[in-house]
Amino acid sequence: SAVISQKPSRDICQRGTSLTIQCQVDSQVTMMFWYRQQPGQSLTLIATANQGSEATYESGFVIDKFPISRPNLTFSTLTVSNMSPEDSSIYLCSVVGAGGFTDTQYFGPGTRLTVL
Amino acid sequence: LAKTTQPISMDSYEGQEVNITCSHNNIATNDYITWYQQFPSQGPRFIIQGYKTKVTNEVASLFIPADRKSSTLSLPRVSLSDTAVYYCLFNQGGKLIFGQGTELSVKP
C-alpha cells in the first residue's frame, strides 16, 4: 500500500492570502488527485494532478484559484489562492497505485484549513 | 454522470451483521464499484472493490447482482470501532466520485 503524507496537517490563514499544501508518496504512483471536504459534507474532487503538464480540473474549480503542480511521480502541491472563509475545508491528496486506474486508491490524512 | 444513492444513516449493535445497500441505476459498463470507510478527521480508507457477483476480503463482502444497478456492502459482526461513514462510489477511469455516504452508528 502507498503511504501518503501531507503538509501542513492544519493551518489558520487570513482572508486574501494563499496556502500551498504538499503531498508526498512513498512510492511512484500513476495518478494523483486533490479533493476537498467541507465541514459535515462528502468529498468533492477538485482536480487530477498530471505529471509534467497542467492539471485537469473538475467543473466548478479553476486553475487560478487552485493551482496544482506535479513535478514527479511521488509529489504534488495544491495552492489555495486568495482565500476566503468559504475555503475552510479539509483538503485531501489521493493516489492510485502503480497497478493502474483499477488499482486501490489511497488517501492522505488531509490538511485542515481554517480561513478567518 | 453516474450517481449513487445510499441511506444517510444506519444504527446497529455490536456483534450484528450490517448490510448497506447502494443504488446506482446508471452505472457505466466500465465502472467499478468501490466502498470506502471514513472516521472523523481522517482520510477515507479503502474497504473493497468489485465489478460483478461477489467479492470477499478480510474486512467485508460485496454483493453485486447481474444487472449491477445496486450493490450491498456486508460487514460481519460489527464492533464499536466500525462506527464511521461508509461511501459507495464508482471508480471512473481512476477518478472516484463520492456520494453522500452512510453514517453507521454501532451501539454496545
Side-chain angles (χ1 to χ4, degrees):
Chain A
S1 65
V3 177
I4 306 168
S5 60
Q6 288 185 229
K7 289 182 182 179
S9 58
R10 59 178 60 224
D11 207 342
I12 300 173
C13 301
Q14 295 298 319
R15 180 196 300 261
T17 62
S18 298
L19 176 72
T20 295
I21 302 168
Q22 298 179 3
C23 175
Q24 179 72 56
V25 192
D26 69 341
S27 59
Q28 293 185 346
V29 294
T30 54
M31 305 176 81
M32 297 181 78
F33 305 92
W34 286 96
Y35 287 81
R36 179 175 75 181
Q37 187 170 29
Q38 295 177 304
Q41 303 295 312
S42 181
L43 283 78
T44 301
L45 179 63
I46 298 173
T48 303
N50 301 310
Q51 188 209 352
S53 64
E54 203 168 278
T56 304
Y57 291 84
E58 298 298 308
S59 176
F61 298 96
V62 295
I63 188 171
D64 290 346
K65 176 66 176 178
F66 299 101
I68 289 171
S69 77
R70 188 182 172 189
N72 56 50
L73 293 176
T74 64
F75 184 79
S76 177
T77 66
L78 167 75
T79 299
V80 186
S81 303
N82 188 24
M83 289 183 284
S84 66
E86 292 70 34
D87 294 320
S88 297
S89 291
I90 298 173
Y91 291 86
L92 298 112
C93 170
S94 175
V95 306
V96 175
F101 71 86
T102 59
D103 202 346
T104 301
Q105 190 160 345
Y106 301 97
F107 285 81
T111 295
R112 183 180 294 274
L113 171 62
T114 301
V115 184
L116 302 177
Chain B
L1 193 64
K3 181 181 176 182
T4 60
T5 302
Q6 53 184 123
I8 294 175
S9 64
M10 291 182 69
D11 290 332
S12 181
Y13 291 92
E14 282 189 293
Q16 289 186 334
E17 177 184 77
V18 171
N19 296 307
I20 306 175
T21 297
C22 177
S23 298
H24 28 78
N25 292 325
N26 57 343
I27 186 172
T29 303
N30 295 330
D31 289 345
Y32 281 73
I33 298 155
T34 309
W35 286 80
Y36 277 78
Q37 175 193 57
Q38 187 178 29
F39 299 112
S41 301
Q42 295 186 25
R45 183 176 76 102
F46 173 85
I47 300 175
I48 198 165
Q49 177 173 280
Y51 186 79
K52 60 181 177 181
T53 64
K54 178 183 175 181
V55 180
T56 297
N57 61 23
E58 65 278 6
V59 177
S61 294
L62 178 60
F63 301 91
I64 306 169
D67 65 7
R68 300 195 342 114
K69 293 185 183 298
S70 67
S71 60
T72 299
L73 174 73
S74 180
L75 304 172
R77 298 181 299 280
V78 295
S79 64
L80 296 176
S81 63
D82 292 317
T83 294
V85 178
Y86 291 82
Y87 292 99
C88 160
L89 50 155
F90 298 131
N91 182 330
Q92 299 180 334
K95 292 199 303 186
L96 298 182
I97 307 301
F98 283 78
Q100 64 183 17
T102 296
E103 188 168 0
L104 173 66
S105 177
V106 180
K107 303 174 182 179

